[in-house]
Amino acid sequence: MQTGDAAAAMNRIYRHQRYIYDLTRKYYLLGRDHLIASLRPAASDAILEIGCGTGRNLIAVARRYPATPLYGFDISTAMLETARHSLDRNRLARVTVAQADATRFSPEQLGRKGFERIYISYTLSMIPDWRAVLERAIAGLNPGGRLLIVDFGQQECLPGWFKRLLFAWLARFHVHPIAALPAALADLASREGLRLRTKDLYRGYAFYAELERLPSPGGRQALPGNN
């Protein structure tokens, strides 16, 4: 799908949903605050959100880390309109948002060479070419930087009926939880020499992962640290 087609599709989905998105999603997009607390940036570290939507996470990050440069992008112009209004209302002029395609973006689109923290919150499961998103995110990390991810898990420790109902409901919004995500992250860590940490949250409802680009410029050996 071309960028323009994908943007139009997302705008159709969220043209009206964006007005109630944050109110409704807070009950089932679990683990977002865990991710934000895990960012732990230095004051000068730049943070990027891939798929910033309404700006809810960017506002929470800005409040928790008031000295940190913040950036976000989304493919949906409708969501970005809502994000900009929310950022203006909260007087967060230091947060930069732009339109970009997660499968093709580069830090230069936001005026940077790279970021110390990049996070993806419940976005991968909406993008068919989610592997390309991971590749672009890793390419945008500075040495010592970390990519943090939270998304739907496979509900391993929850009743089967719950998983069936949840996945059927999510499919109505073009959301498809990624069973292959843990294996894909392990492969990416091995190929790129990244440290990987993973965790199941809420009995498998959500899946959380961190990929760290090691500071040593010559270090290409994978250092898995799953927990």
Side-chain angles (χ1 to χ4, degrees):
M1 184 181 292
Q2 296 298 313
T3 299
D5 295 336
M10 289 298 100
N11 283 339
R12 284 194 297 271
I13 293 171
Y14 291 115
R15 182 177 294 113
H16 303 297
Q17 284 192 49
R18 60 190 168 124
Y19 298 112
I20 59 170
Y21 185 91
D22 292 334
L23 179 63
T24 57
R25 266 58 175 184
K26 70 178 182 178
Y27 296 108
Y28 67 90
L29 298 188
L30 306 179
R32 294 183 296 175
D33 293 334
H34 174 84
L35 181 152
I36 291 169
S38 300
L39 288 168
R40 300 187 302 274
S44 60
D45 286 349
I47 299 177
L48 169 68
E49 178 173 15
I50 294 177
C52 64
T54 63
R56 180 266 185 193
N57 291 332
L58 285 172
I59 291 169
V61 173
R63 288 172 175 165
R64 190 176 184 102
Y65 308 109
T68 305
L70 298 177
Y71 300 81
F73 71 79
D74 203 284
I75 200 168
S76 168
T77 55
M79 292 293 255
L80 284 172
E81 180 183 354
T82 297
R84 290 188 175 106
H85 285 318
S86 296
L87 292 168
D88 289 345
R89 189 166 59 249
N90 285 273
R91 299 181 181 180
L92 290 172
R94 68 185 176 91
V95 181
T96 300
V97 295
Q99 185 188 26
D101 183 338
T103 65
R104 296 177 171 90
F105 91 97
S106 68
E108 287 77 10
Q109 290 175 264
L110 290 160
R112 297 194 60 88
K113 293 183 178 180
F115 298 90
E116 282 69 42
R117 299 287 185 275
I118 297 176
Y119 67 93
I120 311 174
S121 173
Y122 286 96
T123 295
L124 286 177
S125 54
M126 297 189 67
I127 301 175
D129 194 6
W130 53 270
R131 295 178 188 272
V133 180
L134 293 175
E135 297 282 354
R136 298 311 304 156
I138 292 300
L141 280 179
N142 286 331
R146 288 190 288 131
L147 169 64
L148 296 83
I149 299 165
V150 67
D151 214 309
F152 291 105
Q154 293 299 302
Q155 323 301 309
E156 294 93 338
C157 298
L158 294 168
W161 63 262
F162 178 84
K163 176 178 179 176
R164 290 191 295 273
L165 287 176
L166 176 64
F167 281 24
W169 185 73
L170 292 174
R172 297 176 59 189
F173 302 97
H174 306 279
V175 176
H176 302 282
I178 306 167
L181 183 56
L185 292 175
D187 178 67
L188 185 59
S190 178
R191 287 190 286 110
E192 296 292 330
L194 308 170
R195 179 178 287 119
L196 172 64
R197 305 178 185 89
T198 66
K199 181 185 296 186
D200 290 322
L201 303 176
Y202 309 105
R203 300 177 63 194
Y205 179 90
F207 174 75
Y208 175 79
E210 294 185 18
L211 286 159
E212 181 179 2
R213 184 178 292 285
L214 303 180
S216 172
R220 299 285 294 177
Q221 182 179 0
L223 294 174
N226 296 358
N227 54 52

